[in-house]
């Protein structure tokens, strides 16, 4: 539940545009880092100050400024003012309860996405909010904590792999998005393994514990869906936005992102169907097992009840003629066996056994 | 049910535009209050008369007129005529069964929203209807009873916090809406606590009483949804309306309101999924418990039925050879224990124990 | 079922535009009545002939011609020809199986709506088809039987209440629609009382009879929905039609009608959710009761089965040493009580009691 | 299943536009017939050749060419070439697995509709594919077998009833469609009778056989829906097409067709809801009956188990003091009756009886 | 699960546009083949090199280049560069986890479709990804393995059947699509046979094994739907694209493809409804059988329990007067038979037997 509804209480009553950090504080000290590159050069400053991030006049280099730790409101505000960011955008950046979204502010494009991890022990999916600001010649990225899926991009920039050094800030923003989305596939794969594991156990031995696992999977799938679904809209809006910040050659890549998102959403929907099918399998197999138990037990009981009645008859202290006959005992046994055999035959004939 | 369908009976048969108060009377005496402010000045009149609310010629001040107690039809009508409000709008204001909506009348914009409270004892969500009229230089707000979530705004105006004193009446209307929506998050949080409480009790001990609680939660969630869902449409229409009453710099804030509404709606949908998942958990765990009871009890019965049959056989008053043998009693016991053990072994082998 | 599908058999095979009355004949003799009014005058003719209904040259009066009893095909046809109504429209008027709809024929607007009643005894909702034809200076209304919800309007016209005498035929059509819709709220209220009554009985004593009531409510709610749902479309189309027959000042009132319709539809949907919730409550409480019965009974049986076995052992006619001991009888009782107590303790410990 | 998926195997691998008859061959010999009429004249040729169907120069007569037996591919092809029909259209005509659809080819309009029958014995709905080609001055109709619902139209043409002889080929196409749709209502009525019959039997005696009937109804309703649903789209597209082949005065009639289709679709949806309600009723009443059986039987068993235990106690061969008392036998009976009465009282108090 | 989510792990972290084969390697060696034809000539080269595929200047022939084995990344890349294909398209071609889609790149159109097979033994549907590139004068097709449904097309080209040799590359692309879609119908037919087989067995003997089959069918239907659903969008987009690569006379054929797709999608939806109906039938018939077992067994038990009680009474060692009467034994039998008969009569009267 906590993941679904970030406490907003501290924010209530403050004028709009006031920065309040909403969410768990995931790191102690916030750290700003800068990466500046052009086709020829590449420079990293870590940690850096807000002043170091500002563009020196007349450069064609692309600057990527990354902030780990959005709880440091002062730093966020300072950065925001330096790059002319609207207060409402800053408010959204420090509020980790945002829904993935895209907003075009003319001078810059603002995007919020969730970075997903799969906590291997608790089988829970953890989401970290990543905000991206794409401006002319720079990309600002805001994260809740250090550690991300962007190291690949950093390496690619440093070693001048692919075309990234040759392209502009829009391609950098695309690359970051792409890395985030690639990570969704990693999470989906691990999640699929969880589903398969539970599926296998369901067939072997349905137990209430496994049922609990299925419900956990279901809840996680709902969470995944909540994270992935708005991405469709986001990338579709981004592609259609016609913003001058996105060059024509990058637009093609954005269409690719959109395709990937649809694949993610499709897979999540498939998972949901699969999990709800598992629930059906569990319920019907649990009911099958119970029915089997009840059936065998009831059959045993039913065979012995008439026999016990016969024994009871000859246990009566009445003047029963048969009691004096020598062969009555084996005869009674014969009758009893006949009754038991008859019932077993009847059961078998009606396919109850 | 009462909350869902306001009695309209008194209204039936009256010509349209006739004011009839529909809903519970929540306060004794209606009270009108005025707050007039400009970047430099701020003036409050409480209580005030309709005449005091009218604009003095050539002022740039923003006037906020608030009415607590919409059952005072005369006052509402007087106010409406003073500000040139259409009779149908006044009819909507005094009818508390309105659906949240937005209507653009050219000279003024009319909005109806629900203000939510969570009655802590009865675990019920209480809705109060708030109508807003945004005109050039004034905002009229109509409430059912005194006590609201607007004190923060009043304080902000008095103390000149944020930008509110510098902005126009459209920003005031936005601020009121924002305060209302912020309160939705407070209600959602408390509601989430209720859900968690019930969820915890469901796992520990499923009882019919808890089931009743789940159904109550479900009903409240439906009610929440009914209040929140039309807000999407409202704010989307407000943003797109292109009314000259909403300045361009305020439009940005309205987009923020729309985002918040989507968050509210998403959360309510998540609650609904969560609650319906709880029902499934309850039903399957109740059925599990019942099955367990039946299984253990039936197993006990089944073990003893064959034993009782054996005892019955030797209780027959027939000429049974075994009755005369000295070791027959322990032998019968041995047979009985073997039968019981065999059945237990069989049950355990088939995993019924 | 009958309400859902009007027999069309008599119509099959006739050329389109041939008038055939479809539906139950609800009155013996059809009656035409005329009401003519202008701001100054008001005149009623009841019964009247078709000729009397025709406009006298150069009048600005509004004429409202009402026909009770659409089975009188000759009268309908005569009236239709007098006012230049298309044969297909007349066919729709006399066919009571119409879906509520709106059609703009240029010279006149044709609307079909259902007038609802709640038969108090059979708890059934009865629908009567009302067709309205709005033309320039006149409104034709067609009803299946005498007795309607329009007396309020007649009184208002006679006594010059509200603005109706001052407005044109479009306002009259609106007023009739409004009266019809107001009556929907009356029906909804009574229906809500039925729902509450059933809900209260469900909690107190769930019985198959109550279940039958729930299914009746469900069927009625489906019927209500079928009547109310197309009204949304109807009033929305009417508002957007831009017909020259609807003046601008009336358009505002139509928006109000649309709002009311949405309220009706919302309420019906709420009823449906509420009723389907009742079914869930019934099923789970019936299953709870059954489980409780089975549990207590099975527990009693299980306690006595081992005891009966013990008694059976000492009823065997074998040479049992204990039979000769003086204190064996009380000892056996003690064992039995211990077994029974042990099982009760076990049941209580596992919370089955 | 066969009705839902026509075997296409023979067609696989042939170039598009190759005629292959798909579906059952429903008649032996194909027959072509011509009906030519103008306001003054009417001429029928049955059977006729393709050449006879061709228009003689400069006639204003409307020609209706009907083919019974679309398996005669040569005839279909000849006819198609004579009237300049595209090969793909011919392919659709002879493939009976078509979905109802509308296609505007400029010179002619192509429509596929299903003609429905209700096989009274097997309670199955049978669909025959009817293709219509509306061209300037002619209508081609293709049927799978002789026998149709068009005899009414033929009679109307012969006897100059209604306006059909005065109108063009578009009105003829409309009339054929109208006759087809009227027949849908006949099928719906018979189907409604089936539903009512099953509904009555459900209440009286729920049996697995009735359940089978309900599932049959459900399948038929799905089939009906598959046939009726695309008609909405078809007539809506036809109305909007703006084809020069459809005159303005006919367009009004098409709107009527659209209304009828919506009525059909609504009714089918209502049937589906009704049938799914029947399933609920069946399941809950079957479960009620079972519960009742189990309850009464278990109560009987439970009363006798303690009594049998008491009898067992006094059957023990121990030294029981009571055995020697003279009044012990009636005393035991008294105890037994008291126990049985107590349990009955308890059951009744808890409303289990 | 594996079919639903192709492992993407190897791709993570690579720059976009890097070719990585995702999916199973289905053939050892990749093979390129060329088919070049014009109305007069037809030439085949198998295997061929990339250079042989390149267009010789000024030819009007259509070239169809087919690659079996997309894991040969070098070959794919070489081919892509030779025809000027964008790296992202090549990336999509070698990633077999693509969703069917259509993309218009101006100079060429890119389409991804799934080719379906039904593995007869495992009852699983196998999908192979086929990518098509339609350019001016050429079509490139990429397959995972040799063996396809295109032999018909090859034969048609070789023998100059139909119009294929006379038309351009767009008609070739259409023909390939058509062959793929035709194969869908073959798969659907076999799948329908599976459904019928399971349906027949369900009615005869509902067993948990059959339930497993139903769930398998359900999963396959979900998979079918995943493959077929996006085709709607694909062909609809293709038809509307207005690309200059698609000539007007081919557009008509594309509409036909779209119709076929809708038929496929409709059929799959019908299968899904049918399968979910089967689940309902299974569950209710399994529950019916269980209820029948329980009922008969309980009835037997209930009849004998009172009889056993009577026998127990006369087994008591009390001074029972009846024990001394000579006719008491037959009298007790009479009472017992009366009790048993009475209960049977009661059961039969209440229709429990």
């Amino acid at each position: 539940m906590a993941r679904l509804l970030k406490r907003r209480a501290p924010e209530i009553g403050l004028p709009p545009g006031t920065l309040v950090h909403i969410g768990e504080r995931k790191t102690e000290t916030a750290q700003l880092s800068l990466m500046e590159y052009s086709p020829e050069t590449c420079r990293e400053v870590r940690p850096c100050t807000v002043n170091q991030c500002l563009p020196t006049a007349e450069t064609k280099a692309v600057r990527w400024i990354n902030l780990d730790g959005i709880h440091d409101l002062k730093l966020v505000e300072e950065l925001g003012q330096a790059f002319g960011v609207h207060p409402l955008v800053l408010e959204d950046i420090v509020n980790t309860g945002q829904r993935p979204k895209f907003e075009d502010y003319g001078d810059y494009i603002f995007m919020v996405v969730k970075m997903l991890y799969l906590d291997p022990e608790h089988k829970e999916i953890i989401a970290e909010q990543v905000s991206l600001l794409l401006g002319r010649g720079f990309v600002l990225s805001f994260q809740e904590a250090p550690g991300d899926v962007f190291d690949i991009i950093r390496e690619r920039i440093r070693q001048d792999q692919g075309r990234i050094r040759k392209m502009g800030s829009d391609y950098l923003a695309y690359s970051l998005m792409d890395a985030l989305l690639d990570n969704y596939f990693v999470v989906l794969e691990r999640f699929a393994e969880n589903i398969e594991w539970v599926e296998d156990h369901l067939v072997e031995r349905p137990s209430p514990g496994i049922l609990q696992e299925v419900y956990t999977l279901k809840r996680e799938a709902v969470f995944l869906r909540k994270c992935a679904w708005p991405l469709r809209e986001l990338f579709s809006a981004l592609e259609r936005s016609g913003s001058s910040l996105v060059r024509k050659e990058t637009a093609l890549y954005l269409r690719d992102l959109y395709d990937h998102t649809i694949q993610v959403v499709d897979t999540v929907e498939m998972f949901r169907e699969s999990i709800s099918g598992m629930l059906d399998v569990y319920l019907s197999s649990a009911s099958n097992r119970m029915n089997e138990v009840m059936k065998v037990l009831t059959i045993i009981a039913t065979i012995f009840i008439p026999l016990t009645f016969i024994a009871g008859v000859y246990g009566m202290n009445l003047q029963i003629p048969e009691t004096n006959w020598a062969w009555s005992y084996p005869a009674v046994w014969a009758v009893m066996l006949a009754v038991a055999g008859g019932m077993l035959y009847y059961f078998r004939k009606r396919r109850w056994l």
Side-chain angles (χ1 to χ4, degrees), chain A:
Chain A
M1 200 95 295
R3 275 178 313 163
L4 305 181
L5 178 71
K6 304 281 177 184
R7 305 269 147 169
R8 290 176 58 102
E11 197 190 26
I12 309 298
L14 291 173
T18 311
L19 295 198
V20 182
H21 177 240
I22 292 173
E24 213 184 326
R25 174 184 289 224
K26 290 189 179 158
T27 178
E28 271 313 299
T29 52
Q31 201 195 40
L32 203 64
S33 63
L34 168 73
M35 197 153 199
E36 196 178 42
Y37 65 86
S38 63
E40 297 83 30
T41 64
C42 173
R43 181 169 76 92
E44 277 184 86
V45 189
R46 169 186 300 251
C48 75
T49 64
V50 172
N51 277 338
Q52 289 176 296
C53 297
L54 287 178
T56 51
E58 262 173 290
T59 172
K60 286 207 162 171
V62 174
R63 267 160 307 116
W64 170 19
I65 297 117
N66 181 55
L67 175 65
D68 289 333
I70 54 169
H71 61 273
D72 190 339
L73 302 177
K74 237 188 73 188
L75 202 53
V76 171
E77 198 157 20
E78 220 179 318
L79 202 62
Q81 282 171 350
F83 284 88
V85 181
H86 195 279
L88 279 176
V89 171
L90 296 180
E91 200 186 334
D92 282 352
I93 286 170
V94 299
N95 177 346
T96 62
Q98 290 302 312
R99 202 173 179 259
K101 66 175 174 183
F102 157 86
E103 283 175 357
D104 185 353
Y105 282 82
D107 285 344
Y108 52 90
I109 285 173
F110 173 53
M111 284 169 288
V112 181
V113 190
K114 299 287 175 189
M115 180 151 64
L116 297 189
Y117 303 102
L118 196 66
D119 170 15
E121 271 190 65
H122 297 84
K123 293 169 181 174
E124 258 202 4
I125 292 161
I126 298 164
E128 186 185 330
Q129 179 164 313
V130 175
S131 307
L132 291 185
L133 264 173
L134 161 63
R136 210 163 303 274
F138 66 90
V139 169
L140 300 183
S141 59
F142 298 85
Q143 303 184 42
E144 294 185 51
D148 53 34
V149 296
F150 298 150
D151 285 334
I152 301 150
I153 311 290
R154 291 195 187 89
E155 210 52 43
R156 228 181 278 162
I157 295 175
R158 284 185 202 117
Q159 311 197 352
D160 197 3
Q161 282 176 336
R163 67 193 73 193
I164 193 161
R165 289 261 288 264
K166 287 148 208 96
M167 310 281 278
S169 58
D170 51 346
Y171 191 86
L172 174 60
Y174 153 75
S175 299
L176 296 175
M177 287 291 184
D178 194 48
L180 277 169
L181 253 188
D182 271 358
N183 197 46
Y184 273 65
F185 284 98
V186 176
V187 168
L188 284 181
E189 272 179 38
R190 300 237 177 96
F191 195 70
E193 281 163 22
N194 277 356
I195 291 181
E196 267 173 53
W197 186 88
V198 172
E199 219 163 25
D200 290 352
H201 276 68
L202 254 193
V203 174
E204 279 173 41
R205 54 172 83 190
S207 72
I210 273 293
L211 190 62
Q212 209 58 41
E213 297 270 355
V214 176
Y215 280 116
T216 307
L217 285 178
K218 200 181 170 186
R219 214 169 44 229
E220 294 305 305
V222 168
F223 181 66
L224 260 176
R225 188 166 170 252
K226 204 195 161 188
C227 293
W229 196 261
L231 292 178
R232 271 177 91 134
E233 215 179 307
L234 192 163
F235 290 120
S236 156
L238 184 55
E239 202 191 327
R240 285 195 322 263
S241 71
S243 164
S244 67
L245 288 163
V246 180
R247 284 179 234 172
K248 218 187 150 189
E249 60 259 42
T250 314
L252 217 61
Y253 290 93
L254 293 180
R255 186 153 70 176
D256 207 53
L257 271 188
Y258 179 70
D259 276 4
H260 285 22
T261 313
I262 289 197
Q263 254 177 285
V264 169
V265 167
D266 273 13
T267 309
V268 172
E269 290 305 313
M270 203 71 62
F271 285 173
R272 277 164 56 93
E273 278 211 52
S274 184
I275 291 166
S276 101
M278 278 157 73
L279 273 177
D280 286 352
V281 169
Y282 173 80
L283 289 178
S284 69
S285 76
S287 143
N288 267 336
R289 280 172 68 88
M290 189 62 211
N291 281 353
E292 207 190 334
V293 169
M294 295 290 289
K295 201 158 75 176
V296 173
L297 297 184
T298 315
I299 285 171
I300 290 177
T302 313
I303 288 171
F304 282 101
I305 282 172
L307 303 190
T308 305
F309 163 68
I310 293 172
V313 165
Y314 291 102
M316 293 194 291
N317 298 322
L318 301 176
Q319 298 182 1
I320 305 175
E322 295 94 315
T323 51
N324 301 319
W325 302 344
W327 43 266
S328 59
Y329 181 54
V332 164
W333 264 115
V335 167
M336 285 178 179
L337 289 174
V339 166
M343 294 200 80
L344 282 171
Y345 175 75
Y346 175 78
F347 291 157
R348 203 169 275 279
K349 209 182 98 194
R350 302 201 57 163
R351 296 232 190 98
W352 296 348
L353 276 180

